[in-house]
């Protein structure tokens, strides 16, 4: 069976990271590599990760240049057949997620597999307030700002190496820019899995209010232009009515 490498980038995540660690440790897949890359936390995050050292394959803590720098450090050390990213305040939707992803990718000879993400509020973890459906993504919709939900995206490691690392000059849309490069340059074999794979906490850098939204859209526009994708801000903003419906259909 294909081996997953799961990378968790963390910084001052003491209040949430234990749930993420337990979520990976509880997966039914027999051979999960979990890499935790900490940005030099000072709130006890390091002690919590160390207490789970039997199930964490790689852990180190040092200052970094942001989340995409941390992700790149994880990519350099990952040895699995495919890569996934689980944020320090997110959890897998159930214990069989990675097993299901590995089996599907192997059976269908896929380069990329992606599914949905459900959002919850940190004070009400059992209440889903929005479902991000990755079904709407197609490579020809990148110009409209669409991408698969990043925590629900799994990519073969050799394709990551061919595509190159995340760009660290992006604050929020580095994952979008990578997806644009990946699908434009590699023409991967991909599949959408129509189910929730990750439960994601609201309030992260990409869901942190209108200032984050403005920055995200500016960076999405720059990512498209840097990769030769013709678009404009009106195209990118046109996806928001659909996002409103996600709240209503949760």
């Amino acid at each position: 069976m294909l081996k997953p490498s799961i990378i968790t980038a963390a910084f001052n995540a003491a209040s949430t990271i234990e749930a993420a660690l337990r979520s990976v440790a509880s997966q039914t897949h027999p051979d999960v590599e979990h890499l935790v890359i900490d940005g030099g936390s000072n709130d006890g995050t390091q002690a919590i990760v160390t207490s789970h050292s039997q199930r964490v394959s790689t852990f180190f803590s040092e200052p970094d240049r942001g989340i995409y720098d941390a992700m790149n450090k994880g990519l350099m050390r990952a040895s699995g057949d495919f890569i996934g990213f689980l944020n320090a305040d997110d959890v897998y939707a159930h214990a069989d997620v990675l097993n299901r992803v590995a089996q599907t990718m192997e059976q269908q000879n896929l380069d990329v597999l992606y599914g949905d993400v459900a959002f919850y509020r940190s004070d009400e973890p059992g209440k889903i307030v929005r479902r991000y459906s990755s079904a709407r993504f197609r490579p020809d919709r990148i110009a409209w700002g669409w991408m698969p939900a990043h925590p629900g995206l799994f990519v073969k490691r050799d394709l990551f190496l061919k595509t190159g690392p995340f760009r660290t000059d992006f604050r929020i849309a580095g994952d979008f820019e990578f997806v644009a490069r990946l699908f434009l340059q590699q023409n991967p074999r991909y599949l959408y899995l129509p189910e929730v794979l990750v439960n994601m906490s609201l309030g992260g850098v990409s869901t942190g209010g209108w200032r984050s939204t403005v920055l995200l859209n500016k960076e999405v526009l720059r990512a498209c232009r840097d990769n030769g994708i013709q678009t404009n801000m009106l195209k990118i903003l046109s996806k928001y009515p659909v996002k409103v419906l996600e709240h209503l259909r949760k």
Side-chain angles (χ1 to χ4, degrees):
M1 187 185 297
L2 296 178
K3 174 182 177 180
S5 290
I6 304 303
I7 298 169
T8 298
F11 181 68
N12 286 345
S15 63
T16 62
I17 195 167
E18 186 157 26
L21 296 170
R22 291 186 183 278
S23 176
V24 177
S26 68
Q27 290 294 299
T28 58
H29 191 293
D31 188 19
V32 178
E33 178 183 54
H34 192 191
L35 304 95
V36 180
I37 315 300
D38 179 65
S41 296
N42 55 19
D43 69 338
T45 296
Q46 299 166 15
I48 294 171
V49 178
T50 301
S51 72
H52 290 261
S53 60
Q54 290 185 335
R55 300 300 297 271
V56 174
S57 308
T58 298
F59 170 61
F60 66 89
S61 180
E62 64 182 22
D64 56 43
R65 293 176 293 148
I67 189 169
Y68 297 116
D69 185 34
M71 289 179 175
N72 286 337
K73 290 177 180 180
L75 286 169
M76 290 171 55
R77 294 161 174 82
S79 64
D81 298 299
F82 66 92
I83 307 289
F85 295 88
L86 188 73
N87 298 322
D89 53 355
D90 302 341
V91 296
Y92 286 116
H94 54 80
D96 204 41
V97 167
L98 296 182
N99 198 49
R100 179 151 165 67
V101 170
Q103 288 181 345
T104 305
M105 292 186 76
E106 185 167 25
Q107 291 167 1
Q108 302 198 33
N109 193 27
L110 300 173
D111 298 311
V112 177
L113 182 145
Y114 54 88
D116 296 348
V117 165
F119 290 90
Y120 66 92
R121 299 188 188 281
S122 58
D123 57 343
E124 294 182 288
K127 183 178 180 180
I128 300 301
V129 297
R130 175 187 162 204
R131 177 169 172 167
Y132 183 114
S133 174
S134 295
R136 298 182 184 89
F137 171 78
R138 296 196 310 260
D140 62 359
R141 290 181 176 173
I142 292 174
W144 275 260
W146 288 106
M147 67 169 288
H150 190 233
L153 174 69
F154 300 89
V155 180
K156 284 285 190 69
R157 185 171 67 93
D158 61 351
L159 215 59
F160 258 110
L161 297 177
K162 290 178 184 178
T163 307
F166 292 102
R167 284 178 50 178
T168 57
D169 57 325
F170 285 84
R171 285 183 54 199
I172 298 181
D175 46 356
F176 177 89
E177 193 280 330
F178 172 81
V179 166
R181 258 187 297 136
L182 171 68
F183 281 90
L184 285 171
Q185 297 178 9
Q186 308 300 336
N187 192 28
R189 299 179 297 271
Y190 67 92
L191 177 73
Y192 164 63
L193 200 61
E195 61 185 71
V196 173
L197 300 179
V198 175
N199 292 335
M200 186 174 181
S201 175
L202 286 169
V205 67
S206 63
T207 59
W210 68 269
R211 288 186 178 86
S212 293
T213 300
V214 170
L215 176 59
L216 173 65
N217 289 319
K218 287 181 178 179
E219 290 194 346
V220 164
L221 181 63
R222 176 160 64 97
C224 287
R225 289 176 174 172
D226 287 356
N227 285 281
I229 301 169
Q230 292 188 354
T231 191
N232 55 61
M233 189 59 77
L234 285 177
K235 266 189 178 183
I236 292 169
L237 294 177
S238 70
K239 66 180 180 289
Y240 281 94
V242 178
K243 289 183 176 291
V244 171
L245 290 177
E246 288 179 348
H247 290 271
L248 300 176
R249 295 174 178 171
K250 63 181 183 294

